Amino acid sequence: MTAHVIADDAEALAVASALAKEFRAGASARDAERRLPHWEVDKLSASGLLAVTVPAAHGGADVGALTLAEIFRLLASADGSLAQIPQSHFVYVNVVRRQGTQEQRKFFFAEVLAGRRFGNAQSEAGTRHVQDIRTRLTPRPDGSYVLTGVKHYATGALFADWIPVLARAEDDELHVAYVPRDAPGLTVIDDWDGMGQRTTASGTVRLDAVPVPADRVLPHHLTFRGPQLHGAVAQLLHAAIDTGIAGGALAEAAAFVRTKSRPWFESGTETAAEDPLLIQRFGELALRVRASEALLREAARTVEVARTGLTDDSAAEASIAVAAAKAHAADTAVEVAGALFEVAGTRAALDSLNLHRHWRDARTHTLHDPARWKIQHIGRYVLNGTRPPRHGLL
């Protein structure tokens, strides 16, 4: 595969905007038919957009967090499923940047610049909690490893060239093994049947004695031994997806009311768009979306500031800013996507129109991790100066 190499932030945003416009046209049909977006994901790869965080020293644009968040917001405003697919890709590009050796960085960054995609095999079902990882990375006498386990919610794995697998080694420390999609013993099962984000193909990955060379394993546990932005960046992208879903739902609601809704007979207006009560409600919803967008930008700027001088304090500020953006965006996405029916009227509920995809995407994506715990960490930080914990969800 060959891919265009994007030069800078401005080009990255222009490419993302153009792709979002193109992807929006087929989003409803893809969701309704559960037609997996293989062609669209290939377009993302070929555009160079998936390589924009590769460091400049390795030939990438090395865009900032503000640009990366805006890329995801734009994509999610068009298709909440499609935007979710590359989230893990960027997370695991960041792991290479943080924990890879020089040779590992050289190899994997070249792969990304060529259009290769990273998937995700991290979450497991039936364990005590989300960080109870039981997949094992067992050493062999020649220095290589064998991977054994079962992963769920493996968004992006079906579309991936490389599948980063979160596993524990003999010392019980967390590592990431980067495994080729066609590795022997690795099976990706398209069994995702979520009510929302239907085309993410977030199914199951089975690992049956998968061989892994030593130079494809990175010590992920070291990420959390000092100040880090791993969790903040990962959550920033989730916040951007929620914010984009909210904006997309609001735009579609406005278009529907302008062109299809009838005014309520008591309003005394000729069109629904002139109804003062609908105008009031759209103003309220727009305020929610604008606030989420503003919090997203502020969180991204705080991440960028922290990256220039990473300390315990700057990392904590970044995590708290992202937590605020994520908590607000999650509520906004669900509220706005639900209010679409309130403002658009009875016809909007027709299954054939598939307007409910916005709410289904919002409700499903916001289940990724609970906003209530983010609010707890914000409260502890503001009241007692307690820094948030170091893990991948903050």
Side-chain angles (χ1 to χ4, degrees):
M1 178 184 293
T2 59
H4 173 68
V5 177
I6 288 174
D8 53 28
D9 293 66
E11 185 184 4
L13 291 173
V15 170
S17 180
L19 286 176
K21 183 178 181 180
E22 188 172 355
F23 296 158
R24 182 175 289 110
S28 179
R30 285 192 298 274
D31 174 88
E33 300 164 13
R34 198 180 177 269
R35 175 160 39 87
L36 299 184
H38 291 284
W39 179 84
E40 289 78 9
V41 173
D42 284 344
K43 287 275 287 188
L44 274 176
S45 292
S47 75
L49 209 58
L50 300 185
V52 294
T53 58
V54 170
H58 290 268
D62 202 6
V63 304
L66 190 60
T67 294
L68 188 61
E70 180 64 4
I71 288 169
F72 273 80
R73 189 194 69 79
L74 286 167
L75 293 176
S77 72
D79 186 336
S81 284
L82 188 53
Q84 179 64 31
I85 292 168
Q87 191 270 345
S88 292
H89 169 89
F90 283 99
V91 168
Y92 285 104
V93 170
N94 198 34
V95 170
V96 173
R97 182 175 190 151
R98 173 89 180 189
Q99 297 301 339
T101 65
Q102 185 59 30
E103 284 303 311
Q104 287 171 328
R105 291 173 188 164
K106 181 180 178 181
F107 175 79
F108 280 117
F109 289 151
E111 287 285 283
V112 173
L113 285 168
R116 307 287 195 278
R117 297 186 289 265
F118 292 167
N120 136 56
Q122 55 185 22
S123 295
E124 300 178 10
T127 57
R128 289 185 304 116
H129 51 70
V130 70
Q131 293 204 333
D132 181 17
I133 302 297
R134 300 184 184 181
T135 298
R136 306 308 298 187
L137 190 64
T138 306
R140 298 198 295 190
D142 64 359
S144 66
Y145 297 89
V146 170
L147 264 177
T148 303
V150 180
K151 298 291 188 176
H152 297 270
Y153 313 117
T155 304
L158 197 68
F159 307 98
D161 299 287
W162 292 90
I163 300 179
V165 180
L166 200 59
R168 294 194 183 276
E170 281 192 316
D171 57 5
D172 215 36
E173 298 284 16
L174 279 177
H175 291 70
V176 177
Y178 288 72
V179 182
R181 169 69 176 79
D182 59 357
L186 187 151
T187 306
V188 180
I189 305 169
D190 180 21
D191 58 357
W192 171 243
D193 65 349
M195 68 173 181
Q197 294 199 303
R198 298 182 66 217
T199 62
T200 58
S202 301
T204 300
V205 172
R206 295 188 180 278
L207 305 145
D208 183 12
V210 177
V212 185
D215 62 357
R216 297 293 180 261
V217 177
L218 280 71
H220 192 39
H221 60 282
L222 298 180
T223 299
F224 306 103
R225 295 276 173 89
Q228 50 82 36
L229 296 173
H230 174 84
V233 172
Q235 288 290 302
L236 181 71
L237 304 187
H238 284 305
I241 292 169
D242 288 338
T243 303
I245 290 173
L250 182 63
E252 187 144 13
F256 193 94
V257 169
R258 285 194 300 267
T259 60
K260 295 182 176 66
S261 296
R262 296 183 298 177
W264 184 244
F265 71 95
E266 292 178 290
S267 69
T269 63
E270 290 297 317
T271 67
E274 297 173 292
D275 183 335
L277 297 183
L278 282 181
I279 289 171
Q280 175 71 22
R281 187 61 175 135
F282 269 97
E284 293 167 351
L285 297 173
L287 283 175
R288 291 282 297 172
V289 173
R290 283 174 175 260
S292 287
E293 291 172 349
L295 283 168
L296 181 68
R297 290 192 294 270
E298 178 62 21
R301 291 190 189 102
T302 307
V303 169
E304 290 183 345
V305 169
R307 184 170 282 155
T308 63
L310 189 58
T311 64
D312 284 332
D313 288 336
S314 67
E317 283 286 341
S319 287
I320 292 299
V322 172
K326 179 64 169 66
H328 193 279
D331 284 347
T332 299
V334 173
E335 179 184 351
V336 174
L340 183 155
F341 303 99
E342 169 196 339
V343 296
T346 306
R347 186 180 175 191
L350 293 177
D351 193 55
S352 58
L353 296 176
N354 199 26
L355 294 177
H356 47 68
R357 73 184 185 280
H358 299 290
W359 184 86
R360 288 187 288 102
D361 284 347
R363 184 66 281 176
T364 300
H365 183 255
T366 54
L367 298 175
H368 183 273
D369 54 283
R372 59 186 177 272
W373 276 98
K374 298 183 187 305
I375 294 170
Q376 282 281 312
H377 291 305
I378 294 169
R380 290 169 184 160
Y381 185 72
V382 171
L383 187 59
N384 299 316
T386 304
R387 296 190 189 107
R390 292 172 179 160
H391 58 61
L393 297 173
L394 272 174

